Amino acid sequence: MIKYLYIGIDDTDSPDGMCTTYLASQIINEFKENGIELMDYPRLIRLNPFARHKTRGNGGVALKILNDSKVSLAKEIVLESVEKLSMFDCDNTNPGVVFYDGEITKEMEDYAFRAIYEFITIDEAEKFGKSVGCEIHKFKKGRGIIGSIAAISLPLSDFTYELLAYRAPENFGTKRQIDYESVYEMDKKTFPDTFENIDYSEGYIAIEPKTPCPVLYGIRSNTPEVLKEAKSIVKVAEPIDDWCIFKTNQHTDMHIQKASKISDMKQFGCYCVCGEVKNKPTIIDGGHMFFYIQDESGEIECGAYEPTKNFRKIVSYLMPGDIIKVYGGIGEQNTFNVEKFQVIKLNEVEYKNPVCKCGKRMTSAGKDKGFKCKKCGNKIESNEKVPEKIHRSLKNSKFYETPVSARRHLSKPLCRF
Ligand code: ATP
């Protein structure tokens, strides 16, 4: 039986530079020079979006090679690269590397899902890794082992790809020289096979990182083939030092757990749950919009935050009585941060004061005294408001999502539904 060596690497970068995928691509180049072949695309695995120590997107990387006579050389290359390229000066950078030469077991898969859904401590990860036979290498605190074990273990029933183009080291930290017109052209020609390229509502080029990391741009897709076409369309005015395609769990909604009721959800978890809109969404200082949903088990505040821009306008169309399914995560303030929602059933009836025979809407004549018409003086004794069908801007069954610029790495865009 063919045997493989799985290599997991995480927590090598800092807000000031580096990127674990760049380190991986350097390792892959050295592997190639030494005749060490990858057995699958390198993996970029996004983990718990609420993990406390993440630099940006909480991503770990995994490689799979043959377990043959070159294994010790491969391990040497990996460990030396991590030593050489990690941002050790940053307190929050605590690299971890794992090597594993067995089959990926069910308990390893379960661990990986826990790393997406929950918090795991370094001790817990180390104990678990040792118990399944991982060779563990911790640098400084070695927090990266948490993500490294998950990155090799996660089963990918749904997956996407990302092509990452890297800058020449002398250009790190300088303004990226990307021809934006060509990005629009690439999007026009390759969407929806590629996606998340541009946020049209904000005129925002999403393939370009905003940090000083080595990435020039990243193009996300459903297939690896379209990425090469996309790369050939995007024009840049600086050298591309290297590029690499990763297989990822980005944009799969893998972080979303199904909650059958509101009270089942926990803080720092990501869920989809159904509920009835309790109040009209209102905007507060800072531009964040909030409303409550409720079910028989309780209620929770939902938020569409300022960075979600026009999504707040859509949220503002919700009305009390609407039944919706929200997707998102419960953050710091115990508020459900909405990534998208589906309208299950709109409340299309509003109870209003009756209309007088003269055509004017009547007003209350006082508590329990019926209604009166201010125009013609007509009075009616009944206190019952009358149901009226109301026009709604939202549609039953339809999904509404946050814009590309505010989307989480794991969040599945509607173009992938
Ligand atoms: P990216 O490379 O995309 O920028 P990142 O830099 O945001 O990712 P990392 O540098 O990978 O994030 O740091 C995240 C840290 O959190 C890593 O040490 C990782 O092992 C750890 N981690 C990942 N998942 C969990 C989890 N579920 N619980 C606790 N720690 C986690």
Side-chain angles (χ1 to χ4, degrees):
M1 200 174 75
I2 303 172
K3 285 200 150 184
Y4 301 106
L5 180 79
Y6 296 89
I7 302 163
I9 309 165
D10 197 3
D11 211 347
T12 64
D13 54 4
S14 81
D16 297 330
M18 263 304 292
C19 170
T20 307
T21 68
Y22 175 74
L23 200 150
S25 80
Q26 299 285 305
I27 291 172
I28 294 165
N29 290 342
E30 241 187 291
F31 277 3
K32 272 187 205 144
E33 284 163 22
N34 287 282
I36 302 167
E37 228 186 291
L38 291 198
M39 291 291 105
D40 194 359
Y41 283 93
R43 293 169 147 223
L44 165 58
I45 302 299
R46 301 288 178 180
L47 301 164
N48 188 342
F50 289 112
R52 277 179 213 103
H53 300 281
K54 66 179 186 168
T55 317
R56 286 179 295 270
N58 198 10
V61 163
L63 310 173
K64 181 178 173 184
I65 60 171
L66 273 184
N67 188 1
D68 60 13
S69 58
K70 296 228 167 105
V71 151
S72 355
L73 175 62
K75 288 182 180 176
E76 217 172 279
I77 292 172
V78 171
L79 296 174
E80 271 175 16
S81 304
V82 172
E83 282 279 5
K84 195 170 92 193
L85 293 172
S86 298
M87 301 292 281
F88 285 109
D89 288 346
C90 173
D91 279 351
N92 246 341
T93 300
N94 293 285
V97 171
V98 299
F99 299 115
Y100 176 73
D101 62 9
E103 296 277 305
I104 304 294
T105 61
K106 171 80 173 56
E107 61 173 339
M108 290 172 79
E109 294 183 350
D110 292 346
Y111 167 93
F113 280 111
R114 278 218 303 124
I116 294 179
Y117 299 150
E118 299 167 22
F119 293 119
I120 296 176
T121 63
I122 303 174
D123 276 357
E124 223 181 310
E126 185 161 12
K127 263 192 212 120
F128 177 78
K130 283 186 177 152
S131 76
V132 295
C134 288
E135 180 184 324
I136 289 174
H137 295 265
K138 295 188 338 189
F139 299 80
K140 289 168 63 187
K141 289 183 192 152
R143 181 172 294 111
I145 64 166
I146 304 169
S148 299
I149 302 172
I152 63 171
S153 306
L154 186 74
L156 288 177
S157 52
D158 184 17
F159 52 85
T160 62
Y161 294 89
E162 179 161 6
L163 182 148
L164 288 156
Y166 299 109
R167 319 183 74 188
E170 63 271 22
N171 290 325
F172 290 179
T174 62
K175 185 172 165 16
R176 291 172 171 86
Q177 303 297 322
I178 301 174
D179 172 6
Y180 291 165
E181 279 308 309
S182 71
V183 181
Y184 279 91
E185 190 189 334
M186 179 274 284
D187 187 67
K188 219 184 298 154
K189 290 195 172 143
T190 62
F191 179 87
D193 291 337
T194 68
F195 43 83
E196 308 289 285
N197 297 316
I198 296 166
D199 186 329
Y200 283 92
S201 61
E202 295 296 315
Y204 168 91
I205 303 290
I207 69 167
E208 178 183 11
K210 301 295 168 278
T211 59
C213 72
V215 175
L216 178 57
Y217 61 73
I219 307 175
R220 300 174 175 196
S221 73
N222 285 318
T223 68
E225 293 78 23
V226 71
L227 288 174
K228 291 178 190 157
E229 183 195 346
K231 180 173 175 289
S232 73
I233 302 171
V234 174
K235 301 279 172 289
V236 294
E238 65 170 82
I240 292 181
D241 211 41
D242 192 14
W243 58 276
C244 189
I245 295 178
F246 288 83
K247 191 170 176 180
T248 91
N249 63 342
Q250 292 173 162
H251 305 302
T252 60
D253 268 357
M254 217 176 233
H255 61 314
I256 301 285
Q257 305 172 73
K258 279 203 184 92
S260 51
K261 53 183 193 295
I262 288 171
S263 64
D264 282 350
M265 302 192 294
K266 296 193 193 106
Q267 194 181 22
F268 303 123
C270 296
Y271 303 93
C272 64
V273 71
C274 274
E276 179 186 328
V277 176
K278 187 179 169 190
N279 62 314
K280 188 100 194 91
T282 48
I283 210 152
I284 60 151
D285 286 352
H288 310 308
M289 179 166 270
F290 295 103
F291 63 100
Y292 278 84
I293 58 164
Q294 60 189 1
D295 66 10
E296 67 295 341
S297 75
E299 61 179 38
I300 188 161
E301 187 181 48
C302 296
Y305 290 88
E306 192 281 332
T308 66
K309 304 287 177 199
N310 280 339
F311 180 62
R312 292 168 301 166
K313 176 109 188 127
I314 298 167
V315 169
S316 75
Y317 296 145
L318 287 169
M319 280 183 42
D322 287 344
I323 309 292
I324 60 173
K325 188 189 228 180
V326 286
Y327 293 70
I330 304 175
E332 209 62 62
Q333 311 298 324
N334 253 317
T335 298
F336 191 99
N337 189 336
V338 183
E339 291 172 14
K340 57 182 167 259
F341 67 89
Q342 184 187 18
V343 175
I344 304 298
K345 180 132 187 40
L346 286 173
N347 171 12
E348 290 176 285
V349 172
E350 203 172 19
Y351 284 84
K352 290 187 164 174
N353 293 353
V355 175
C356 179
K357 52 188 181 218
C358 76
K360 173 99 182 148
R361 174 91 49 200
M362 301 179 90
T363 55
S364 167
K367 194 164 184 304
D368 298 331
K369 290 187 179 154
F371 297 96
K372 64 178 184 216
C373 176
K374 279 191 174 159
K375 191 173 166 202
C376 68
N378 183 28
K379 280 189 179 174
I380 52 173
E381 279 178 14
S382 163
N383 293 304
E384 303 248 317
K385 291 194 173 198
V386 289
E388 272 181 34
K389 189 157 168 66
I390 38 176
H391 167 77
R392 301 296 309 269
S393 309
L394 303 172
K395 291 200 164 42
N396 279 314
S397 307
K398 195 169 167 181
F399 281 91
Y400 298 90
E401 65 182 348
T402 50
V404 171
S405 58
R407 194 122 63 221
R408 280 189 197 288
H409 291 298
L410 278 164
S411 201
K412 186 163 161 174
L414 301 184
C415 67
R416 290 203 71 239
F417 268 52

